[in-house]
Amino acid sequence: EAGVAQSPRYKIIEKRQSVAFWCNPISGHATLYWYQQILGQGPKLLIQFQNNGVVDDSQLPKDRFSAERLKGVDSTLKIQPAKLEDSAVYLCASSFSRGGLHGYTFGSGTRLTVV
Amino acid sequence: RKEVEQDPGPFNVPEGATVAFNCTYSNSASQSFFWYRQDCRKEPKLLMSVYSSGNEDGRFTAQLNRASQYISLLIRDSKLSDSATYLCVVNCSSNTGKLIFGQGTTLQVKP
């Protein structure tokens, strides 16, 4: 079974630039999550989608971060403009259903460095 | 106060040692509990779920104390390959798959 695919693997940008990350969840997984993991910390949920609808975006800095999952499959996370403190690994995860944790799988992440 | 608290370590132990990690959580309504393992520059991977009755998987034993809001992980006969960061993880609601992670405890097993 293919895992959660993410790209790019690494990205280096200057502050105030914009950047986008892409995620393809495991086939059949209705729920998709974006987490931010800052060095030395555990992952923190940014946004959760159920199909193409947002379930929880309470910790998403909406002045600069946006995410979409238009067709209920792939998702993109965008940062515009980036700040130095956005340097982190952005992890995408997916699971079968909204409340169930069955099949919860993380992708390998996108490592963002803002300089 | 952090929702999930762990001692970041590092814990440096010799091969064959027994090591225990502890974790506390603040939300008494938390529903599900896990230990994840994260290797350097890799994604977190589920190590084991944690149940009130305690559960064991080979050299790993996990315990949950709901009254004290405390979770533990015991690793017996440590191997070099156990070197990693161990993340204590809590799910607070059956309506959402949101996982709340501790900052992780780093284990380094030395020959």
Side-chain angles (χ1 to χ4, degrees):
Chain A
E1 179 184 75
V4 176
Q6 288 188 248
S7 67
R9 191 79 174 89
Y10 304 94
K11 191 73 177 179
I12 301 174
I13 62 171
E14 294 183 351
K15 59 184 179 184
R16 290 188 290 275
Q17 285 187 323
S18 62
V19 64
F21 313 129
W22 174 83
C23 173
N24 189 318
I26 291 174
S27 178
H29 280 195
T31 310
L32 184 147
Y33 314 82
W34 283 102
Y35 285 83
Q36 179 193 57
Q37 186 172 22
I38 293 171
L39 186 65
Q41 299 182 20
K44 181 185 79 172
L45 181 71
L46 293 175
I47 189 166
Q48 177 184 346
F49 290 96
Q50 176 69 14
N51 296 311
N52 61 349
V54 175
V55 173
D56 182 353
D57 63 356
S58 57
Q59 297 195 83
L60 187 73
K62 298 180 186 65
D63 57 335
R64 297 183 302 105
F65 285 65
S66 64
E68 59 184 15
R69 193 184 184 200
L70 292 176
K71 296 182 179 180
V73 181
D74 293 8
S75 177
T76 55
L77 176 69
K78 297 179 181 177
I79 308 175
Q80 183 180 11
K83 293 185 175 181
L84 295 176
E85 59 260 36
D86 298 331
S87 294
V89 176
Y90 291 85
L91 294 160
C92 180
S94 68
S95 65
F96 274 112
S97 61
R98 169 175 171 164
L101 303 174
H102 183 52
Y104 213 115
T105 305
F106 283 87
S108 55
T110 295
R111 185 174 298 272
L112 173 68
T113 302
V114 182
V115 297
Chain B
R1 181 185 173 188
K2 292 180 182 177
E3 293 182 87
V4 179
E5 294 208 57
Q6 294 181 253
D7 178 351
F11 284 60
N12 295 302
V13 303
E15 269 187 293
T18 295
V19 62
F21 305 138
N22 304 317
C23 162
T24 57
Y25 60 95
S26 61
N27 187 341
S28 59
S30 297
Q31 306 256 335
S32 306
F33 309 88
F34 311 92
W35 283 101
Y36 272 68
R37 171 187 169 133
Q38 187 170 28
D39 293 290
C40 188
R41 294 183 170 265
K42 299 285 189 181
E43 71 273 22
K45 291 187 177 178
L46 179 64
L47 178 66
M48 59 197 302
S49 300
V50 188
Y51 305 114
S52 297
S53 54
N55 49 300
E56 188 173 309
D57 183 2
R59 299 181 292 108
F60 298 83
T61 300
Q63 295 257 327
L64 167 65
N65 184 321
R66 284 187 182 270
S68 301
Q69 296 179 202
Y70 172 95
I71 306 164
S72 65
L73 177 68
L74 183 77
I75 305 175
R76 291 181 299 277
D77 188 23
S78 299
K79 312 291 185 190
L80 296 176
S81 56
D82 293 334
S83 297
T85 296
Y86 291 83
L87 297 157
C88 179
V89 185
V90 171
N91 171 247
C92 293
S93 168
S94 59
N95 288 325
T96 168
K98 176 181 180 179
L99 298 180
I100 300 172
F101 287 79
Q103 74 173 99
T105 299
T106 299
L107 171 66
Q108 185 68 43
V109 181
K110 299 188 181 297

